[in-house]
Amino acid sequence: MLNAEMSQATLPNLTGIVDANRRTDLVMAGIGISVLIIAMSLLAAVVIDLIVGGWPRLMNPDFYLNFPSRHPLKAGIVSAWVGTILVMLVTAGIAIPLGVGAGVYLEEYAARNWITDFIEINVSNLAGVPSIIYGLLALGLFIHGFGLGETILTAGLVLALLILPVIIVSTREAIRGIPLDLREAAYGLGADKWQTVRLYVLPAARSGILTGTIVGLARAIGEAAPVITIGALTFIAFLPPSPLQASPPFINFEWLESPFTIMPIQMFNWVSRPQAEFHINAAATGVILMLMTLAMNGIAIWLRYHLRRQIR
Amino acid sequence: MTQKIFHDQHVTQLSPKTEPPPHAQRESLAAEIRKLSFWYGETQALKEITLSIAYRKVTALIGPSGCGKSTLLRSFNRMHDLYAGNRYSGEICLFPENHNLIELDPFMVRLRIGMVFQKPNPFPKSIFENVAAGLRIQGVQNKKLLSDRVEQALRDAALWEEVKDRLSQSAYGLSGGQQQRLCIARALAPQPEILLLDEPTSALDPIATAKVEDLITDIRNRFTVIIVTHNMQQAARISDFTAYMHLGKLIEFAPTGELFTTPQETLTRDYITGRFG
Amino acid sequence: MPTLPSSLSPAGPAGSPFRASKSFLRRRALWGSFAGGCLLIAAASSVFVTLGIVYVLVTESMGFFAQISLLDFLTDTQWTPVFENAHFGVMTLVSATVTVAGIALAVSIPAGLALAIYLSEYARREVRETVKPCLELLEGVPTVVYGYFTLLFFTPLLQTFIPGLEGFNMLGPGMVMGIMILPYTASVSEDAMRAVPSGLREAGYALGYSRFRVAMRVVVPAAFSGITAAFILGMSRAVGETMVVAIAAGQNPNFSFNPTEGAATITAYIVQMAMGDLPHDSIAYQSVFAAGIVLFVITLTFNLIGFFLRRRFKEVY
């Protein structure tokens, strides 16, 4: 009797609760999806705004081959993209060996002690140090301390230090992903530590390390702050000396000591001008810069996806 | 009680370290374990094991899981040294030099002693490079020598006919059984003084298992083999000597036929009759 | 008993015909220690970077603190380094930095939480695996591009809604930055939520909780320290972000918490000074490093708190 009453009283209630739950769930999913849509439409707005803004210049071949100029319609980005490529060469040349080496050391060599712990905290903290602080390091140490000047070498060096943590962390993750039994197989044959690392661990971790390196370099390509800090925001209407030459020894390193400009700085320069004509140039530069970074990030994401499937 | 007597006998037999074993016996031995104990951190996994390994024979280690048979096997090529906190005491003497493996450099030990693991673990390289790996690690660069050795090792591992036309293809294209035989070829190529097999067929199907057992039978007169197996029939089929271990101790060691037909210890009898394990 | 029967055939001397040569082993050992040394140097280089940063910030600003007392530095509300009557009240720059970062967090916390809850509790695996790479693309956009966008698109857009908004203001950069750090905060908090053991969730469902209730009553509290870490680390990024504010928030030091006004943040000030050619031993040059120390200390504090919160979270589960 009592039971019957209770179930009659509570049953409609329960369905009410279930319905209410379903509603909150729907609302919640809706909020999540709308945040996603807002974020993605911001990205779309950025891309469209740049393309529309920079269209007239993007379509003009001179834009890619001219030097910067006081006349917005004659100004181009040739010194910027050449500078970006050369700076990236230096950055990659320094950051990859240092970052991969540090990652290998921490993962394969380091004993579990407070020194390792300290290096780990240090790396994770460096990853969070604002890029402009690296600029101050370069200004105080590389320029005024070592007298390297406002050169491609200095810029490449500071960007290399900036992306070092990215490469270290991804190298460690890639190495950690290698199954233990591969390592035991190598040691079981009598390989020493370095042989194991060089012949078996590094080749197996190759694509993971490559992914992290590309992500790091994509970040470096878009960075302006540390390079501005070293005082590189100048008018550059010439190209650095070519790294290759016709006569032996065919390679020269004078370009390392050359003044330069890079894409993000050129863009910042033009955004900061009051005249709207320069903003067109800025937008066009932005499109090319985004193409570079998005392409690199896209490759990295694809590599990671590909890698995950390979492991499965 | 029997246990105690057994131990005392050993101590008296083997304790004078300076005195080498009788000549004839030494000739026939590949190695001898003397009072070997091993600790994983605080846990003692091997308790004063004393055991002889016959030259160019197959010695099987059997026992319930957790008895220490794999631990003992991995002591031979010092695999435990890869991980922190492990500790040995006692000796593993390698003849004829009478070198104590426990005191040698682990990397040097592993150059002399080959190992095959439970699960096939080929390198992500070509079949040829997998077999040549051990030789390359020893610094062999002569192409002719490498290819001769690789062929010989693949023949020893009964894999040559199956792979001779695709030596440059990835080892991952092989079946599980072929991969395990490839791992055996990889371990054989540097001609190790002792070949360690750690449950080499536990991940294989019966047909692949039979092939591995056949190849072990084929190489038994040319290599000294120690095999850990959880499968008593396998031990009975392929080994010359069998050691039964229990809770980190060596309970009984005898020629395989004797151990399986007339075990002396109750524990051994219980295990091989299936009453325990 | 473990003696061998004497019937064994006598064997020849053991030993491999293929023993690695002594000279090879010597070479190998040499290469091994050389490589190990190089790797150690590489690992130590990261420590040298930190030491270098601290060294540069301290030595280059020493001259500054010899002339300006720490009290003035921290309490003065004017920052006029190149004026005749120079004032160095760093709080001027800090006020703008905090305002912009605060706006960024005000956008990023609710949005990031909603996104993380959606991804970790609602979305199917395929959805998650498609969405995350897209979010990463958002992170890959160069900040100078965001600066351009904020100054020339977003601020004019906001001005149509907010009449009093200046051309250079803190609101626009703060909001854009909030979206900019969204991928980071969302993915770190999502990692934290997904690390919550499914047993806890099942306990919630067993009580008849809805998904929403499980998320809010079980998952979020359990992942709280991980989520906090995500937002503290996000805060650190917002504080250190340079190009967006340097382009769109103006370069006028202004002690203000009013988001509709423009004001120079610490980072914007550093950029502005670096663009001019400052004599190496001038007080204005040194003030750049003094401002840098403040920035470094703020971000370091956030980073360390975030690091240890995350680590503690990982230990719990």
Side-chain angles (χ1 to χ4, degrees):
Chain A
M1 184 64 193
L2 198 68
N3 276 346
E5 261 175 34
M6 266 190 65
S7 61
Q8 268 176 359
T10 48
L11 206 57
N13 243 345
L14 276 179
T15 18
I17 292 173
V18 170
D19 280 348
N21 282 350
R22 201 164 288 151
R23 272 198 301 278
T24 46
D25 279 351
L26 264 177
V27 170
M28 199 50 219
I31 293 175
I33 291 173
S34 24
V35 168
L36 203 61
I37 290 172
I38 290 172
M40 294 325 289
S41 48
L42 180 90
L43 182 64
V46 169
V47 173
I48 293 168
D49 180 38
L50 281 181
I51 293 179
V52 171
W55 190 256
R57 296 301 284 151
L58 280 173
M59 285 298 100
N60 186 344
D62 285 348
F63 179 67
Y64 306 96
L65 300 172
N66 281 8
F67 287 106
S69 156
R70 277 180 293 122
H71 307 289
L73 288 175
K74 286 188 191 156
I77 54 169
V78 66
S79 48
W81 66 257
V82 170
T84 285
I85 291 172
L86 292 177
V87 168
M88 281 307 119
L89 280 180
V90 178
T91 300
I94 296 168
I96 294 172
L98 273 189
V100 173
V104 168
Y105 181 84
L106 288 174
E107 212 49 43
E108 293 281 322
Y109 281 72
R112 295 276 123 218
N113 57 25
W114 68 269
I115 301 177
T116 312
D117 216 34
F118 177 73
I119 296 182
E120 253 170 54
I121 296 176
N122 179 57
V123 168
S124 103
N125 176 56
L126 274 183
V129 168
S131 60
I132 195 148
I133 298 277
Y134 287 89
L136 292 181
L137 170 71
L139 179 64
L141 202 62
F142 302 158
I143 294 190
H144 292 299
F146 303 156
L148 293 181
E150 289 141 20
T151 59
I152 290 179
L153 179 64
T154 310
L157 193 57
V158 65
L159 291 178
L161 298 185
L162 178 71
I163 63 169
L164 201 56
V166 180
I167 299 185
I168 294 177
V169 168
S170 54
T171 302
R172 295 189 65 179
E173 269 168 16
I175 290 179
R176 225 175 291 153
I178 295 171
L180 197 65
D181 57 0
L182 194 78
R183 232 164 268 172
E184 288 200 341
Y187 283 121
L189 286 171
D192 69 359
K193 210 163 225 178
W194 176 235
Q195 283 178 321
T196 307
V197 166
R198 181 172 57 92
L199 296 172
Y200 304 106
V201 172
L202 280 181
R206 200 176 38 205
S207 25
I209 294 174
L210 191 64
T211 310
T213 307
I214 295 173
V215 169
L217 287 176
R219 189 179 158 199
I221 253 189
E223 272 294 344
V227 187
I228 292 176
T229 314
I230 64 174
L233 190 75
T234 43
F235 185 78
I236 301 289
F238 56 88
L239 290 181
S242 163
L244 300 172
Q245 61 190 31
S247 58
F250 302 111
I251 296 181
N252 78 54
F253 289 101
E254 278 170 40
W255 56 278
L256 285 174
E257 288 159 31
S258 166
F260 67 99
T261 187
I262 54 175
M263 299 281 289
I265 288 195
Q266 190 61 67
M267 181 173 175
F268 175 65
N269 187 340
W270 282 329
V271 177
S272 324
R273 305 277 184 105
Q275 303 94 323
E277 292 91 338
F278 278 114
H279 294 166
I280 299 174
N281 287 342
T285 315
V287 172
I288 307 298
L289 188 57
M290 275 194 70
L291 275 182
M292 288 175 167
T293 58
L294 289 186
M296 288 171 85
N297 276 302
I299 291 172
I301 290 166
W302 180 83
L303 257 177
R304 195 178 309 152
Y305 178 75
H306 190 71
L307 201 70
R308 227 179 268 163
R309 291 203 347 174
Q310 226 173 25
I311 290 169
R312 262 182 230 146
Chain B
M1 194 61 206
T2 39
Q3 223 33 38
K4 175 119 179 65
I5 295 166
F6 163 85
H7 266 291
D8 289 347
Q9 271 181 344
H10 277 301
V11 176
T12 45
Q13 258 182 3
L14 298 167
S15 55
K17 280 184 197 168
T18 45
E19 195 180 301
H23 189 260
Q25 196 176 341
R26 172 181 160 174
E27 286 285 86
S28 62
L29 291 184
E32 191 164 58
I33 307 169
R34 296 173 187 153
K35 296 188 75 178
L36 181 74
S37 295
F38 177 79
W39 290 263
Y40 288 111
E42 295 298 303
T43 328
Q44 185 167 9
L46 296 178
K47 294 172 181 161
E48 305 212 330
I49 304 276
T50 295
L51 179 68
S52 306
I53 304 297
Y55 179 68
R56 294 192 174 176
K57 297 283 169 192
V58 178
T59 303
L61 305 177
I62 61 168
S65 51
C67 70
K69 53 192 193 297
S70 279
T71 307
L72 177 60
L73 191 80
R74 289 164 70 90
S75 300
F76 264 91
N77 71 345
R78 304 278 299 275
M79 272 318 209
H80 303 301
D81 291 52
L82 293 177
Y83 309 99
N86 298 332
R87 189 159 57 85
Y88 311 83
S89 81
E91 294 174 55
I92 300 179
C93 283
L94 197 60
F95 297 131
E97 298 96 329
N98 208 7
H99 284 161
N100 181 3
L101 292 185
I102 301 304
E103 282 160 13
L104 293 179
D105 173 35
F107 296 107
M108 299 302 292
V109 170
R110 298 186 199 120
L111 285 175
R112 298 171 61 172
I113 293 178
M115 178 148 185
V116 175
F117 299 83
Q118 283 192 19
K119 276 198 321 203
N121 56 354
F123 296 123
K125 298 192 172 206
S126 71
I127 292 171
F128 182 91
E129 282 305 322
N130 261 281
V131 183
L135 299 167
R136 291 209 190 277
I137 284 168
Q138 302 196 359
V140 177
Q141 276 162 355
N142 183 321
K143 287 228 171 75
K144 175 88 174 58
L145 211 57
L146 278 174
S147 62
D148 285 355
R149 281 280 163 217
V150 168
E151 177 174 346
Q152 183 57 45
L154 283 169
R155 284 188 191 282
D156 285 344
L159 196 58
W160 175 251
E161 291 303 323
E162 291 160 61
V163 301
K164 65 181 176 192
D165 299 323
R166 46 171 171 154
L167 289 176
S168 58
Q169 288 175 25
S170 165
Y172 286 177
L174 299 174
S175 72
Q178 288 173 321
Q179 285 189 9
Q180 191 62 307
R181 277 181 285 147
L182 182 73
C183 291
I184 294 177
R186 181 176 68 186
L188 287 177
Q191 303 208 322
E193 290 164 52
I194 297 178
L195 177 66
L196 309 171
L197 304 171
D198 189 2
E199 303 198 17
T201 59
S202 62
L204 304 183
D205 62 64
I207 295 169
T209 300
K211 284 187 181 159
V212 170
E213 288 184 7
D214 286 348
L215 91 86
I216 295 172
T217 314
D218 287 345
I219 62 171
R220 71 201 304 179
N221 292 324
R222 287 181 293 125
F223 291 96
T224 304
V225 178
I226 309 177
I227 178 170
V228 163
T229 175
H230 58 268
N231 178 338
M232 277 180 288
Q233 281 74 34
Q234 185 170 64
R237 280 193 297 268
I238 62 174
S239 71
D240 301 289
F241 298 95
T242 300
Y244 173 66
M245 293 177 65
H246 182 73
L247 294 176
K249 286 185 181 144
L250 178 68
I251 303 300
E252 188 164 355
F253 177 55
T256 301
E258 282 176 34
L259 187 112
F260 280 100
T261 50
T262 54
Q264 303 295 306
E265 302 290 330
T266 330
L267 277 169
T268 320
R269 201 172 310 130
D270 287 354
Y271 180 73
I272 61 179
T273 53
R275 234 183 289 171
F276 161 74
Chain C
M1 180 194 31
T3 47
L4 287 162
S6 52
S7 63
L8 267 178
S9 60
S16 149
F18 232 131
R19 194 67 54 70
S21 74
K22 281 235 159 57
S23 72
F24 172 77
L25 290 174
R26 215 174 306 126
R27 244 187 1 259
R28 177 173 96 155
L30 217 64
W31 272 112
S33 30
F34 175 71
C38 290
L39 296 176
L40 176 61
I41 291 171
S45 70
S46 74
V47 178
F48 288 125
V49 174
T50 307
L51 290 180
I53 288 173
V54 173
Y55 170 81
V56 163
L57 291 180
V58 170
T59 54
E60 297 280 332
S61 60
M62 221 128 64
F64 176 85
F65 287 111
Q67 293 178 51
I68 312 294
S69 79
L70 199 60
L71 191 72
D72 282 349
F73 184 65
L74 293 177
T75 55
D76 199 338
T77 54
Q78 286 187 61
W79 181 271
T80 53
V82 287
F83 284 13
E84 202 68 21
N85 175 19
H87 281 273
F88 293 96
V90 78
M91 284 304 148
T92 320
L93 303 178
V94 171
S95 72
T97 306
V98 168
T99 308
V100 175
I103 295 168
L105 273 199
V107 171
S108 202
I109 288 186
L113 259 183
L115 196 54
I117 291 176
Y118 170 71
L119 287 178
S120 124
E121 306 299 311
Y122 287 82
R124 278 174 300 132
R125 207 175 58 98
E126 306 86 67
V127 176
R128 196 163 50 225
E129 288 194 0
T130 334
V131 166
K132 280 194 126 178
C134 293
L135 285 174
E136 280 172 44
L137 284 182
L138 206 58
E139 246 185 332
V141 176
T143 54
V144 61
V145 168
Y146 279 121
Y148 169 94
F149 174 79
T150 311
L151 180 68
L152 297 173
F153 182 89
F154 196 62
T155 294
L157 184 72
L158 282 179
Q159 277 170 329
T160 61
F161 301 105
I162 309 167
L165 196 67
E166 295 175 10
F168 290 124
N169 62 75
M170 299 190 267
L171 184 63
M175 289 175 75
V176 170
M177 223 188 260
I179 305 279
M180 218 173 90
I181 60 173
L182 183 66
Y184 182 75
T185 50
S187 87
V188 176
S189 21
E190 191 224 326
D191 285 346
M193 290 183 194
R194 291 218 291 152
V196 172
S198 55
L200 281 183
R201 277 191 192 89
E202 281 162 16
Y205 285 124
L207 287 174
Y209 280 10
S210 65
R211 248 175 221 258
F212 178 67
R213 271 198 156 186
V214 168
M216 298 311 282
R217 296 254 175 106
V218 179
V219 178
V220 171
F224 191 73
S225 63
I227 296 170
T228 317
F231 290 108
I232 287 179
L233 293 172
M235 179 83 178
S236 161
R237 289 194 166 197
V239 165
E241 172 43 45
T242 306
M243 295 319 290
V244 178
V245 283
I247 292 173
Q251 302 186 336
N252 170 35
N254 174 11
F255 185 82
S256 164
F257 295 98
N258 181 353
T260 61
E261 293 177 11
T265 62
I266 301 177
T267 52
Y269 171 72
I270 297 174
V271 164
Q272 185 201 358
M273 283 292 132
M275 287 185 328
D277 216 359
L278 294 171
H280 182 205
D281 41 9
S282 67
I283 183 110
Y285 172 86
Q286 291 162 342
S287 75
V288 169
F289 288 88
I293 285 192
V294 176
L295 179 63
F296 184 67
V297 169
I298 296 175
T299 52
L300 180 70
T301 313
F302 285 148
N303 290 341
L304 288 180
I305 295 174
F307 178 82
F308 285 109
L309 272 177
R310 260 181 114 174
R311 177 184 270 197
R312 207 188 66 189
F313 178 76
K314 275 179 194 152
E315 275 163 12
V316 173
Y317 298 111

